């Protein structure tokens, strides 16, 4: 087994270093290691003084642009997909399963082509202007003019306390305006759609207050529950929007209801998950886009 330690120190040029026994002694001090043990270890150890993260990032972007003939913005998306997948397989496979910690060029191409599970880390945003990054994500994934198909779309949004009802209502109205199609008699019934919204982390009382406020503003609330203490009614949640029922959005109250909904979907469904700490685990093989955010305010700039 070979060991490689990558380290960045300001002012030291990128280079590979092979340590001597004297160098190792300075680092570890007194040790029970014999000279033979130290020699054996150093023969399998390489110290690499690496470039700073931003330089490494831009170098990889240039390689992706060259390999796939993509623009800078598209290369950044590819970077997010590839790096997230690599992190995922490293975390899931211990060093003993190192054969599972690699990916071939063909597998990488298929990963990008499938576009089923994408993760965009907020750390990427720090490298470029936040507004520019959000605009690009919006154009690629959330531009309604490019997504007119009457799919079922589920928006999972992680929230943290304190819960600001005003922000949640703003997000609901943005989703309503951009991701529902039910405002005209002329729209055929099979061409109507409305988003499903799951606020992950909200307490029952705050969610009830939010729904109550929306009802006072004459919005129809659909969440799969018809009356107090009723069991979850999947068919009620899945009721299709019509001009008469005026359904513009639906709520999913908890992860159990979400999982049941996904188990029994009968239409093309897309999931968009915004998470602050950790995305919830969902058993779903269709399109599932995950985006890390710092706070829910960022969602407004993306969608």
């Amino acid at each position: 087994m070979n060991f490689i330690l990558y380290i960045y120190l300001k002012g030291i040029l990128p280079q590979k270093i092979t340590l001597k026994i004297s160098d190792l002694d300075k680092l570890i001090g007194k040790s029970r290691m014999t000279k033979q043990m130290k020699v054996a270890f150093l023969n399998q150890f390489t110290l690499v003084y690496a470039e700073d993260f931003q330089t490494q990032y831009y170098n990889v972007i240039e390689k992706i642009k060259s390999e796939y003939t993509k623009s800078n913005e598209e290369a950044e998306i590819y970077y997010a997909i590839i790096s997230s997948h690599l992190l995922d397989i490293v975390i899931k496979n211990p060093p003993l399963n190192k054969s599972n910690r690699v990916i071939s060029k063909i597998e990488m191409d298929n990963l990008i082509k499938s576009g089923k599970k994408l993760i965009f880390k907020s750390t990427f945003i720090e490298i470029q202007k936040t507004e520019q990054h959000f605009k690009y994500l919006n154009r690629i994934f959330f531009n309604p003019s490019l997504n007119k198909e009457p799919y079922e779309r589920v928006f999972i949004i992680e929230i943290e306390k304190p819960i600001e009802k005003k922000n949640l209502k703003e997000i609901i109205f943005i989703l309503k305006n951009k991701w529902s199609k039910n405002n005209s008699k002329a729209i055929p019934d099979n061409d109507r759609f409305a988003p499903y919204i799951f606020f992950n982390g909200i307490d029952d009382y705050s969610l009830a207050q939010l729904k109550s406020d929306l009802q006072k503003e004459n919005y129809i609330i659909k969440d799969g529950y018809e009356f107090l203490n009723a069991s979850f009614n999947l068919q009620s949640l899945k009721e299709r929007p019509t001009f008469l029922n005026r359904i513009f959005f639906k709520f999913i109250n908890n992860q159990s209801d979400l999982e049941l909904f996904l188990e029994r979907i009968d239409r093309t469904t897309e999931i968009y998950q915004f998470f602050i700490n950790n995305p919830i685990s969902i058993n779903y093989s269709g399109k599932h886009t995950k985006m890390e955010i710092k706070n829910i305010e960022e969602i407004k700039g993306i969608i």
Side-chain angles (χ1 to χ4, degrees):
M1 181 181 293
N2 293 320
F3 302 91
I4 302 176
L5 175 62
Y6 289 88
I7 185 172
Y8 167 71
L9 294 176
K10 188 175 181 180
I12 297 182
L13 294 175
Q15 56 185 302
K16 289 184 179 180
I17 299 292
T18 301
L19 297 180
K20 300 176 182 177
I21 291 180
S22 58
D23 298 321
L24 183 61
D25 289 339
K26 290 178 183 177
L27 291 172
I28 64 175
K30 291 184 178 181
S31 170
R32 295 181 180 179
M33 292 178 67
T34 65
K35 183 177 180 181
Q36 290 76 12
M37 293 169 64
K38 292 176 182 179
V39 170
F41 170 74
L42 292 175
N43 286 338
Q44 295 176 291
F45 177 79
T46 302
L47 176 65
V48 178
Y49 287 106
E51 296 172 313
D52 64 274
F53 176 78
Q54 188 164 333
T55 300
Q56 293 182 53
Y57 174 81
Y58 286 128
N59 288 342
V60 174
I61 291 296
E62 289 302 317
K63 289 181 180 179
I64 293 174
K65 287 166 63 177
S66 174
E67 184 69 32
Y68 291 98
T69 318
K70 295 295 179 182
S71 68
N72 198 72
E73 290 176 326
E74 290 171 318
E76 288 165 353
I77 298 297
Y78 277 42
Y79 179 98
I81 298 170
I82 295 168
S83 61
S84 294
H85 180 73
L86 292 176
L87 177 62
D88 187 51
I89 61 176
V90 167
I91 291 174
K92 290 181 178 178
N93 295 285
L96 291 176
N97 298 333
K98 62 180 181 180
S99 61
N100 295 328
R101 287 180 154 206
V102 298
I103 181 172
S104 68
K105 175 65 165 56
I106 294 176
E107 291 172 326
M108 191 180 300
D109 292 344
N110 290 335
L111 174 71
I112 293 169
K113 189 183 298 182
S114 69
K116 286 184 177 179
K117 295 194 175 182
L118 318 178
I119 301 180
F120 297 90
K121 294 290 187 180
S122 61
T123 48
F124 302 141
I125 298 173
E126 297 171 2
I127 297 175
Q128 55 183 310
K129 293 181 179 178
T130 301
E131 185 177 351
Q132 178 185 348
H133 184 82
F134 288 166
K135 284 182 178 179
Y136 184 68
L137 293 181
N138 174 270
R139 188 166 75 249
I140 297 299
F141 297 102
F142 299 102
N143 189 336
S145 65
L146 303 177
N147 296 277
K148 291 291 188 180
E149 296 294 332
Y151 297 153
E152 303 280 37
R153 295 182 177 89
V154 180
F155 292 85
I156 303 171
I157 300 169
E158 182 182 1
I159 59 174
E160 291 186 314
K161 294 182 179 180
I163 296 170
E164 296 188 19
K165 194 162 51 178
K166 175 178 174 291
N167 283 336
L168 300 188
K169 288 178 69 175
E170 286 180 4
I171 291 173
I172 290 169
F173 291 142
I174 291 173
L175 293 174
K176 166 190 169 293
N177 293 334
K178 293 187 176 182
W179 295 97
S180 68
K181 188 177 181 183
N182 191 27
N183 59 352
S184 171
K185 267 188 177 180
I187 301 173
D189 285 345
N190 61 359
D191 198 31
R192 298 174 184 270
F193 53 87
Y196 294 80
I197 304 169
F198 173 33
F199 286 122
N200 180 33
I202 195 170
D203 60 273
D204 293 342
Y205 176 78
S206 297
L207 182 58
Q209 289 295 307
L210 178 62
K211 294 176 185 176
S212 179
D213 282 0
L214 293 167
Q215 281 187 324
K216 290 175 183 177
E217 297 177 33
N218 297 319
Y219 287 103
I220 304 299
I221 303 298
K222 280 290 178 180
D223 64 359
Y225 293 87
E226 300 298 315
F227 50 86
L228 183 64
N229 296 326
S231 299
F232 177 61
N233 185 337
L234 181 60
Q235 294 308 313
S236 174
L237 177 65
K238 292 171 63 177
E239 181 178 350
R240 297 292 299 275
T242 67
F243 183 71
L244 292 178
N245 67 25
R246 308 295 292 169
I247 296 175
F248 289 100
F249 51 80
K250 304 176 184 182
F251 287 104
I252 297 178
N253 294 327
N254 52 62
Q255 189 168 346
S256 296
D257 292 351
L258 172 63
E259 290 171 353
L260 183 59
F261 169 78
L262 294 176
E263 283 176 10
R264 303 183 185 180
I265 55 176
D266 51 14
R267 302 176 65 202
T268 301
T269 300
E270 299 177 348
I271 300 176
Y272 298 94
Q273 182 171 180
F274 297 89
F275 66 95
I276 299 172
N277 297 307
N278 294 296
I280 62 173
S281 179
I282 298 172
N283 183 22
Y284 181 65
S285 60
K287 183 176 181 180
H288 182 183
T289 301
K290 304 176 189 178
M291 295 190 182
E292 184 182 48
I293 55 173
K294 294 179 179 178
N295 53 66
I296 63 172
E297 287 285 337
E298 293 188 345
I299 299 175
K300 301 174 189 177
I302 297 173
I303 61 176

